[in-house]
Amino acid sequence: MANLSLKHIYKVYPNGAKAVNDFNMQISDKEFIVFVGPSGCGKSTTLRMIAGLEKITAGELKIGDMVVNGMEPKDRDIAMVFQNYALYPHMTIFENLAFGLRMRKIPDIKRDKEGNPILNKKGKEIPIMRRYNKKELTEKVNEAAEILEISDYLKRKPKEMSGGQRQRVALGRAIVRKPKVMLLDEPLSNLDAKLRTQMRSEIVKLHKKLQTTFIYVTHDQVEAMTMGTRIVVMKDGFVKQIDTPKNLYKYPANKFVAGFIGTPQMNFFEGTLKKIGDKVQIKFMYSDAEITVPYSFLMKTLPEYLDGTKEVYIGFRAESISLDEDKVKASEAKFKVRISHSEELGTETLIYGDINMEGDGFAETSTRVIIKSAGFKELQPDTICEAALDLSAIHLFDKETEESIMPRIPKYNTLDCSVKGRTLHLLGTQVTLPEAIACEDGKGEVCIPVSAIRFDGDIKAHVVDNENINGEILVSLDLNGSRIYALAAQPIEMGEVGIGLDFKKIILKSGKTENQPMPDVNGLDGTFVMEKVVETVKKNGKERRERIAHYYLLIQEVKLEAPASVYEMMFAATSGRKVFNSVFKYEWSAYDFKISDTGILAEVLEMLDYGTEKFLRCSVGGTLIYVKTDREYRGKIHLLPDVSKVSVIESERQIRIV
């Protein structure tokens, strides 16, 4: 059994097309992971890279603790089930199941005719690789057949079996080896609807029996929602969201996921949001519909979208809109709908309409609405009804990027403030600004990332809630009657707590000045070079002179020796020779540099004092670099970055290699 680690995985074809872009994921042992998305999204390509059937352009793939980028598929201890069964028609089911084992060798020790271990001169057992014997083959095949309930069909040929039975044989051929990882590439797409449902349950049951890691590819979102412990939603080679089925449905990270997951598709309207006191006015474009929502429902919404000028997508699922008279009567959020037609599905009815009284309810427009109602609901076409909205189920997305503007973990807290002297006034609290923050006196705005709030300061706040979101703890704080959010490694005890601010991360606007945060990474352009040096090496107890290759990052004519692991990843990603002819961007954090007598020449522009930490802002050939320091420097200095911590981006194709 094994976990998997995929770090910055890319697949780029010779023509420059990127099939998979910067795929990052940690898969735990025994998880059932589903890759889902439309055709051409990169899900099968990712699966084939895990299997070793496609070469990884860049990135690191680990199965267990072993990097397997260059490892042959047969050595990865994985098994794959394909879409088209791939059974041998001339073999019996027994032979189909046993074929892989016959070809496979297993580790053992050398034995004599009586089966006793043979020892070498040092008294140790002699390791060998051998084939499975007939008894072992029969036991393993019978075990797999029993699990899949096909023991009665072992003497048949594939043509004598149904599609579902053949699919079981394909699964059996994979599980008979007891691999670390099971890969399944749309294995049910050739089956009819009823058989798909049955086999779906069988595969989930098989996963529980085998207790191994499953990675399953499908374009069917129903399969994904019913089978996966976590789902990877992909589009155009990019991962759009990785989450549990419940969280994908309730908290989509973007409009694509919101529309792709769930049947029928989520209703999307275009509109604007305007905060007025403790309420938010929502206007739906291309219609007269308008509702007022308590601000408490939209507290995580990014503030810049609440001024009534920015257009957004407003999303509601079909079951979050109701025509029930009691719900409509009790609701404060409702609009009129002109009914066009309905679809009766037995246990529920889908009602189609339009919030534009001139709309027809058939075309997919920004005013069409689909309402899911329990049981049978008979409504005459052109009937005008009032519909109530469940405000707890509202989704909001940026009009251009289509990313959620009310994420589960907000990016930052945006607060009104004022600056006077070296003092920042916000939410009834005064904070002394560090010397690195230079702003004019006056009223303004401060953006505080949730990661910039520390729980070790002098500002008094109250913890009102801890929310575990995919392993991250989002802490809700009350600061003099206003709500702000912070991230913590562990839940924070309810009640009063002292908080502080990491000023190097905040954006402060005051008067005509705007203080920007310090960058998280420093990037320097460079190339990669090799030099062969004659060195004395010892082999078989004898010393000899050999030319040994050394590899360097070349930045501003300074050579920084690179570890072998960095070279290997760069060599693999750039097809060998190109590694010495390409331009790279090398990245480090401000904490990865040390000031030395030799190294990259830099000019100190200023020292930034953030109180608890000090940094130098330097220029390296016109590029700004930030360096952590404990003392003040002036003029020219030399910087030595920690090459073992380098991150490498190939500039031409914009792919992260290391």
Side-chain angles (χ1 to χ4, degrees):
M1 312 308 165
N3 49 16
L4 284 85
S5 171
L6 296 94
K7 293 182 180 178
H8 303 297
I9 299 293
Y10 288 84
K11 179 61 185 180
V12 184
Y13 291 107
N15 64 0
K18 290 183 181 178
V20 177
N21 274 275
D22 204 12
F23 190 108
N24 292 276
M25 189 180 186
Q26 301 296 316
I27 301 175
S28 300
D29 185 26
K30 300 176 186 176
E31 270 200 283
F32 196 126
I33 301 298
V34 179
F35 295 168
V36 68
S39 297
C41 70
K43 55 188 186 295
S44 289
T45 303
T46 305
L47 193 79
R48 290 172 64 83
M49 284 193 287
I50 295 171
L53 302 177
E54 285 276 1
K55 184 180 177 184
I56 296 172
T57 302
E60 180 185 82
L61 171 63
K62 279 186 177 181
I63 298 178
D65 296 324
M66 186 178 294
V67 177
V68 299
N69 286 48
M71 190 180 288
E72 290 294 322
K74 65 183 178 62
D75 299 324
R76 298 191 182 197
D77 200 8
I78 53 96
M80 191 161 179
V81 179
F82 296 92
Q83 180 178 342
N84 59 346
Y85 315 142
L87 302 180
Y88 296 107
H90 62 287
M91 293 184 183
T92 64
I93 301 307
F94 182 95
E95 289 299 324
N96 267 282
L97 293 174
F99 183 78
L101 295 178
R102 291 191 193 279
M103 298 296 105
R104 191 177 181 83
K105 290 185 177 181
I106 56 173
D108 200 352
I109 57 173
K110 201 168 185 179
R111 300 174 187 275
D112 59 24
K113 292 180 179 180
E114 285 73 35
N116 301 314
I118 298 175
L119 305 180
N120 61 19
K121 292 179 181 179
K122 295 181 180 180
K124 293 183 178 180
E125 295 172 340
I126 303 171
I128 61 168
M129 296 295 290
R130 67 169 180 84
R131 306 277 188 191
Y132 284 98
N133 60 45
K134 187 174 182 181
K135 182 182 177 184
E136 290 171 328
L137 275 175
T138 303
E139 285 177 357
K140 285 186 170 292
V141 168
N142 286 339
E143 183 185 357
E146 192 173 327
I147 290 172
L148 294 164
E149 299 178 2
I150 53 173
S151 299
D152 295 337
Y153 309 115
L154 294 179
K155 294 182 180 180
R156 293 188 184 183
K157 297 281 184 71
K159 66 182 180 181
E160 301 172 65
M161 304 184 77
S162 67
Q165 289 169 336
R166 289 183 212 176
Q167 191 61 71
R168 286 172 190 246
V169 177
L171 287 167
R173 195 167 55 181
I175 69 172
V176 72
R177 288 175 37 218
K178 295 186 178 176
K180 288 181 180 177
V181 185
M182 282 275 288
L183 308 178
L184 301 98
D185 190 4
E186 301 199 45
L188 308 183
S189 59
N190 291 336
L191 306 181
D192 60 58
K194 183 178 179 181
L195 199 50
R196 282 174 75 110
T197 304
Q198 179 188 339
M199 285 302 299
R200 227 165 42 211
S201 302
E202 293 293 335
I203 291 174
V204 172
K205 185 169 73 174
L206 180 63
H207 173 250
K208 289 180 180 178
K209 275 186 181 179
L210 296 179
Q211 291 292 290
T212 190
T213 307
F214 273 45
I215 304 177
Y216 187 101
V217 163
T218 181
H219 62 271
D220 186 336
Q221 55 111 343
V222 175
E223 278 183 22
M225 294 290 282
T226 54
M227 298 175 78
T229 51
R230 282 193 298 159
I231 299 172
V232 181
V233 184
M234 298 184 70
K235 181 190 179 189
D236 298 333
F238 290 92
V239 173
K240 306 302 287 185
Q241 190 172 350
I242 302 174
D243 219 323
T244 63
K246 176 183 175 183
N247 286 342
L248 284 178
Y249 192 81
K250 292 183 69 176
Y251 309 108
N254 46 70
K255 183 173 177 277
F256 174 76
V257 174
F260 190 81
I261 300 295
T263 305
Q265 180 178 286
M266 182 183 285
N267 296 291
F268 294 110
F269 310 98
E270 294 173 47
T272 57
L273 315 169
K274 187 170 185 179
K275 185 175 182 291
I276 305 171
D278 62 351
K279 304 280 188 182
V280 176
Q281 186 182 65
I282 301 178
K283 289 186 176 181
F284 295 83
M285 295 173 63
Y286 316 117
S287 75
D288 296 327
E290 183 179 311
I291 61 173
T292 301
V293 179
Y295 178 58
S296 58
F297 283 100
L298 304 178
M299 286 187 66
K300 291 184 179 180
T301 305
L302 300 179
E304 59 265 33
Y305 291 89
L306 298 175
D307 61 1
T309 62
K310 292 185 174 64
E311 295 179 11
V312 300
Y313 284 115
I314 305 157
F316 282 96
R317 295 206 179 274
E319 62 270 22
S320 301
I321 307 173
S322 177
L323 298 176
D324 184 82
E325 291 182 6
D326 293 335
K327 289 183 179 180
V328 171
K329 192 174 181 180
S331 176
E332 295 182 2
K334 49 194 175 188
F335 49 55
K336 289 183 178 179
V337 176
R338 181 171 177 265
I339 306 301
S340 62
H341 64 290
S342 61
E343 296 175 351
E344 294 178 351
L345 305 177
T347 57
E348 61 191 22
T349 302
L350 297 182
I351 301 163
Y352 293 77
D354 212 299
I355 62 173
N356 178 355
M357 297 303 104
E358 303 299 320
D360 65 4
F362 287 91
E364 285 192 34
T365 65
S366 182
T367 57
R368 188 185 79 161
V369 62
I370 306 173
I371 302 167
K372 186 185 288 187
S373 181
F376 290 98
K377 193 86 172 179
E378 292 188 13
L379 289 169
Q380 294 300 317
D382 296 327
T383 302
I384 296 177
C385 306
E386 277 197 310
L389 300 176
D390 178 0
L391 296 180
S392 66
I394 190 172
H395 300 276
L396 301 171
F397 307 97
D398 179 90
K399 184 76 178 293
E400 299 299 323
T401 67
E402 298 190 353
E403 294 297 311
S404 174
I405 62 172
M406 50 183 301
R408 293 186 74 191
I409 299 180
K411 290 182 180 178
Y412 47 79
N413 304 281
T414 302
L415 308 170
D416 292 331
C417 68
S418 64
V419 175
K420 189 173 183 181
R422 302 294 311 161
T423 304
L424 172 68
H425 301 262
L426 73 161
L427 300 181
T429 300
Q430 297 181 17
V431 184
T432 302
L433 291 170
E435 292 180 13
I437 304 290
C439 274
E440 292 180 357
D441 287 359
K443 293 184 178 180
E445 182 180 76
V446 60
C447 294
I448 306 172
V450 291
S451 61
I453 297 178
R454 308 189 312 263
F455 291 92
D456 61 354
D458 301 324
I459 303 170
K460 299 302 179 186
H462 284 81
V463 178
V464 295
D465 189 27
N466 288 282
E467 189 180 358
N468 190 323
I469 303 173
N470 295 335
E472 294 188 275
I473 307 299
L474 182 67
V475 184
S476 299
L477 299 163
D478 183 282
L479 183 57
N480 295 327
S482 294
R483 180 67 61 89
I484 61 173
Y485 297 97
L487 282 178
Q490 296 179 343
I492 306 298
E493 189 176 340
M494 297 294 183
E496 189 174 278
V497 66
I499 63 172
L501 302 178
D502 185 347
F503 279 99
K504 69 178 182 290
K505 294 183 178 181
I506 72 170
I507 302 172
L508 177 59
K509 302 174 186 176
S510 179
K512 295 180 180 179
T513 59
E514 181 174 326
N515 184 82
Q516 289 296 321
M518 196 180 82
D520 291 329
V521 295
N522 300 292
L524 290 170
D525 290 334
T527 55
F528 198 77
V529 296
M530 175 187 70
E531 285 186 359
K532 288 190 175 182
V533 180
V534 177
E535 295 180 3
T536 302
V537 296
K538 197 170 185 178
K539 288 185 178 180
N540 300 322
K542 294 181 180 180
E543 290 187 350
R544 55 185 294 180
R545 303 279 285 173
E546 285 189 5
R547 290 170 63 84
I548 306 297
H550 290 258
Y551 302 97
Y552 302 90
L553 313 182
L554 184 63
I555 303 172
Q556 297 289 314
E557 303 304 319
V558 175
K559 291 186 291 186
L560 305 168
E561 189 157 7
S565 58
V566 171
Y567 165 69
E568 287 163 6
M569 284 188 274
M570 294 178 71
F571 183 88
T574 55
S575 303
R577 290 182 199 170
K578 228 180 158 185
V579 71
F580 304 117
N581 299 300
S582 297
V583 176
F584 302 97
K585 183 176 285 295
Y586 300 115
E587 293 184 340
W588 290 274
S589 78
Y591 300 90
D592 297 332
F593 289 89
K594 69 177 182 179
I595 298 166
S596 177
D597 295 331
T598 60
I600 301 168
L601 183 64
E603 184 173 359
V604 177
L605 302 178
E606 64 176 322
M607 184 169 181
L608 302 173
D609 187 345
Y610 287 101
T612 57
E613 293 181 307
K614 296 178 176 63
F615 298 86
L616 298 176
R617 189 163 73 96
C618 309
S619 174
V620 176
T623 301
L624 291 180
I625 296 293
Y626 294 82
V627 179
K628 174 75 170 64
T629 183
D630 295 321
R631 50 170 285 197
E632 188 170 351
Y633 290 87
R634 296 180 183 277
K636 297 188 184 301
I637 60 173
H638 290 90
L639 302 175
L640 277 179
D642 185 343
V643 180
S644 68
K645 296 180 179 178
V646 70
S647 180
V648 183
I649 297 172
E650 186 194 324
S651 301
E652 182 184 350
R653 295 182 293 176
Q654 281 299 297
I655 61 173
R656 187 174 295 277
I657 296 172
V658 182

